[in-house]
Amino acid sequence: MTEVTRPTNANAPRPRRVFRRWPELLFYTLLTVIVVLYSAPGVGVILTSFKTTEEIGRLGLWSLPEALRVANFTEAWTGGNVAQYAINSFLVTIPATIFSIALGVLTGYVFAKLPFRGSEALFVFVVAGMFYPPQIVLIPLFRLFNAVGLYDTLWPMIIVHTAFGIPICTLVMRNFFSAVPNAMREAAIIDGSNEWQVLTRIMLPVSLPALAVLATLQFTWIWNDFLWPIIFTQSDNMRTIMVGLASLKGQYSVAYGVQGAMSIMASIPTLIVFIFFQRYFIRGLTLGSVKG
Amino acid sequence: MVRTRRLWTGLFLSLPLTIYIVIVVAPLLVSFYYSLTDWNGFNPEYSFVGAENFLKIGRDPQFFGAIRNTVVWMVAAIFLPSLGGLAIALALNGRGFAGNIYKSLFFLPICLSLVVIGQVWIWMYHPDWGLVNTVLSGLGLDGLRQAWLANPQTALWSVIIAWSWQQMGLAMVIFLAGLTSVPKELTEAAEIDGANYWQSLRRVVIPLLGPATVVVIALAIINSLKSFDIVYVMTQGGPFHSSDTLAMFMYNESFKKYYMGYGSAIAVVLFLISLVLISFYFRQVRIMNEVYD
């Protein structure tokens, strides 16, 4: 089929190309206009974070700063409790990411390689948690963590993010393990390995891409989360970065530059993930959803 | 052999399932229980009030306002980010390096927190310096300038548009994944048969994007039921409840007014709505799998 349409001489240009040049130019012009409009909100934050309040009052939010001042960033870091908020966010995000993936590896392995009667229904039951609006369980969990004395600590967020991460981690790991040939497991079992050894020595080494996908997804979601910490924490020392950002907005209500600087600083970890692991992140979004 | 296999299955499932059931599933039942009480969140004593909270829901105009706003949000979510994402995916598919740069730009907001996005868009809508009003003035449309988030007529849509700005990247990514499954032979065959770009798009490409479309719409619906963070940051549901979503309303009743019993009843309604939508989605996915496999 393709052979027919391909010109015999690879260097000979297709005749249609001549007519396509104009639309091509038009296309990229239009696209650039759209991209500029689309980026406008973000550009405003970057520009503003380098401006003084006086400059903003005079020139507005979207003007170029007169000089590249980092005063807003230092003010945000020292004036607010931003360092503490960032530490709290890491203390929640890193363990919850690791735990939820570890649990998803266990369930994913069972659902992919050790099916039993009713395991398919159990799998749907677990994955259905992905669609759950968390408001449904807000009050009981609030009560639970109050009762066990964990209110206003970081523990509730670690526990809840681990639990709510199980559905997506199970889904991705099951899909990935399913693609690993059964013969690999069977050969190892015949050689005397137990399931734990199969999982850790055979399955995990080949599933690094799936682990990377989940790590980027979970890290981003948990870092960006806002709902759980406003329910489970109260004191300033326990705030995560997103709650801190929302509350500092009141403290610096007219200092737009400081607000902008804080927004940027709060986004740096997920931007790093975006820049270096974008491929995995996108694969996670499509894997987790298209096969759901 | 069978016994050790069972043992390992139990061993592997016990911890994850326990955590999942204790934190995700069981609290749902507790919500049902609280919805029949008048608990205020602090007082250890509360009494059983039967269906009173649900009767109160039936008489509460704010609840119906929140339902209406959630439906508006859902409908907007189905169209705005999806069509935008589809258009961009079609435009950028197979454009090589330049296309990838543009894709990254459209995709970037997905990795940002809705708190940050809310913050950014508050500036967009700023009455004096906001880009929206500035552009309107620039176009000579000074009459349309307004405090977008403080006006009950515009607050909801202003938040929805900010949210759609982020969600568009997600729709684009899923449509791009769907486009990779459209065989080049098919579009080329359509071209040979004399179809122009629009015809091949309508008759060949779009029909093959069926599964991706189902996913995009399902995600839009589910995410609109969850819409909370950005509302909290931008309007807190105001002014005068004009941008209250169901999730926001539930939070305000439970954690601002401490009507935990009433809040639980709203949570139960939210659960029932999502249950209907989720089962519909799973059914749709089954039909899709039958058609496309």
Side-chain angles (χ1 to χ4, degrees), chain A residues 214-236:
Chain A
L214 285 175
T216 52
L217 274 188
Q218 285 295 91
F219 183 90
T220 306
W221 297 155
I222 300 172
W223 181 271
N224 286 341
D225 176 53
F226 178 68
L227 174 64
W228 298 116
I230 63 170
I231 301 291
F232 295 138
T233 63
Q234 195 177 28
S235 57
D236 192 55

Side-chain angles (χ1 to χ4, degrees), chain A residues 16 38 131 136 143 259, chain B residues 31 34 39 119 165 191 222:
Chain A
R16 282 205 321 278
Y38 193 78
F131 304 103
I136 296 171
R143 180 104 211 256
Q259 283 186 37
Chain B
S31 275
Y34 284 146
W39 189 44
Q119 170 73 57
W165 177 77
E191 221 172 300
I222 290 156

Side-chain angles (χ1 to χ4, degrees), chain B residues 178-196:
Chain B
L179 281 173
T180 56
S181 71
V182 176
K184 258 210 157 64
E185 287 80 11
L186 277 182
T187 45
E188 278 172 6
E191 221 172 300
I192 293 168
D193 289 345
N196 63 29

Side-chain angles (χ1 to χ4, degrees), chain A residues 2 5 16 27 32 35 38 45 115 125-126 130-132 136 140 143 224 226 249 256 259 270 274 278, chain B residues 5 20 24 27-28 31 34 39 91 102 104 107 111 113 119-120 123 126 165 188 191-192 222 226 232-233:
Chain A
T2 45
T5 53
R16 282 205 321 278
F27 172 82
T32 308
V35 166
Y38 193 78
V45 176
F125 170 73
V126 171
M130 266 173 30
F131 304 103
Y132 217 71
I136 296 171
R143 180 104 211 256
N224 286 341
F226 178 68
K249 214 178 77 191
Y256 289 92
Q259 283 186 37
T270 51
F274 171 79
Q278 195 186 143
Chain B
R5 190 182 145 136
Y20 181 69
V24 183
L28 168 64
S31 275
Y34 284 146
W39 189 44
Y102 284 123
S104 295
F107 180 65
C111 77
S113 167
Q119 170 73 57
V120 170
W123 292 0
H126 192 285
W165 177 77
E188 278 172 6
E191 221 172 300
I192 293 168
I222 290 156
K226 292 181 182 172
Y232 185 100
V233 173

